[in-house]
């Protein structure tokens, strides 16, 4: 019966995929895994590879098992932590409604655009739950809401002033073209 390292070496290296995944994944722990597999493919021993990439022998063995199970793609899956939400389902649904139908000004905040920090403030104010921005973005993802970088915060435009500005602009363009 062959050991893990021998079974790994029997798999033909896909260097193109390896390179793509290495550049695609910026996290050091994923790159560390990819480098370990590369060194093993190149014929280095497990103890040497573990020392070279800075992991324990047991951890390297776990990475080899992951690779043998699902290849390079399995090896590059990000670590996810299943932390139960501190907002219950009804609170999350209410939060979604709040974000979609209202603005932060409705909750005493002097901004018109929802940001992670503002959402966190409103959650703490409303339900007494303190959440980090990163957790806010996970909740937004689970609620199927996009999160984008906020831009400068402007108040809602005055429709009458907009019409007046457009009329003046048209007159100026017409006068300049004569």
């Amino acid at each position: 019966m062959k050991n893990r390292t021998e079974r790994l070496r029997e798999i033909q290296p896909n260097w193109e995929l390896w390179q793509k995944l290495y550049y695609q994944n910026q996290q050091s722990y994923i790159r560390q895994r990819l480098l370990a597999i590369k060194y093993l493919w190149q014929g280095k021993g497990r103890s040497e590879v573990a020392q070279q990439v800075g992991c324990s022998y047991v951890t390297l063995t776990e990475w080899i098992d992951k690779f043998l199970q699902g290849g390079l793609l399995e090896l590059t899956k990000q670590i996810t932590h299943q932390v139960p939400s501190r907002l219950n389902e009804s609170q999350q649904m209410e939060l979604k409604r709040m974000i979609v139908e209202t603005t932060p000004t409705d909750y005493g905040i002097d901004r018109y655009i929802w940001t992670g920090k503002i959402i966190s403030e409103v959650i703490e104010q409303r339900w007494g739950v303190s959440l980090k921005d990163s957790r806010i973005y996970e909740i937004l993802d689970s609620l199927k809401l996009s999160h984008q970088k906020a831009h400068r915060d402007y108040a809602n435009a005055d429709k009458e002033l907009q019409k007046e500005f457009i009329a003046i602009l048209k007159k100026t363009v017409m006068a300049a073209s004569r």
Side-chain angles (χ1 to χ4, degrees):
M1 185 167 170
K2 296 179 181 180
N3 70 27
R4 291 173 173 94
T5 307
E6 290 170 340
R7 290 189 317 212
L8 179 140
R9 289 189 180 132
E10 285 179 347
I11 297 170
Q12 185 64 35
N14 182 343
W15 293 115
E16 194 173 300
L17 177 60
W18 184 93
Q19 191 73 47
K20 177 184 173 187
L21 292 171
Y22 187 83
Y23 287 121
Q24 211 172 44
N25 294 283
Q26 300 294 313
Q27 299 91 336
S28 61
Y29 73 92
I30 292 178
R31 286 186 164 191
Q32 187 181 28
R33 294 173 180 183
L34 289 168
L35 284 172
I37 297 302
K38 176 183 179 182
Y39 296 149
L40 290 168
W41 267 335
Q42 293 173 339
K44 294 181 180 180
R46 273 198 254 177
S47 296
E48 181 184 0
V49 171
Q51 186 177 10
Q52 196 167 1
V53 299
C55 71
S56 72
Y57 189 90
V58 173
T59 299
L60 180 60
T61 303
E62 290 171 4
W63 294 347
I64 293 169
D65 289 341
K66 271 184 184 272
F67 175 77
L68 292 173
Q69 262 184 328
L72 291 171
L73 294 176
E74 181 67 27
L75 196 65
T76 58
K77 283 187 178 174
Q78 295 196 9
I79 296 173
T80 56
H81 303 284
Q82 295 299 325
V83 179
S85 179
R86 294 188 6 219
L87 291 180
N88 64 39
E89 222 171 296
S90 66
Q91 289 170 328
Q92 288 185 29
M93 289 296 106
E94 186 176 345
L95 176 65
K96 182 175 184 174
R97 185 197 54 74
M98 290 163 56
I99 292 170
V100 172
E101 297 175 6
T102 65
T103 64
T105 57
D106 298 328
Y107 301 93
I109 295 172
D110 64 345
R111 301 276 186 245
Y112 288 91
I113 297 174
W114 289 105
T115 64
K117 186 176 180 182
I118 290 173
I119 293 170
S120 182
E121 286 177 31
V122 170
I123 288 172
E124 189 158 4
Q125 169 188 330
R126 181 103 168 97
W127 295 294
V129 175
S130 178
L131 298 173
K132 292 183 179 179
D133 288 358
S134 59
R135 182 65 186 127
I136 297 297
Y137 297 123
E138 290 172 8
I139 291 171
L140 292 176
D141 283 340
S142 73
L143 296 173
K144 306 281 190 265
L145 294 173
S146 69
H147 47 86
Q148 302 160 353
K149 186 175 180 181
H151 298 283
R152 220 166 139 64
D153 193 5
Y154 296 103
N156 293 333
D158 183 327
K159 301 287 183 196
E160 291 304 314
L161 287 175
Q162 282 182 328
K163 287 178 186 176
E164 199 176 304
F165 172 76
I166 292 170
I168 292 169
L169 187 61
K170 285 180 181 178
K171 287 179 188 175
T172 306
V173 170
M174 295 295 267
S177 65
R178 291 183 191 162

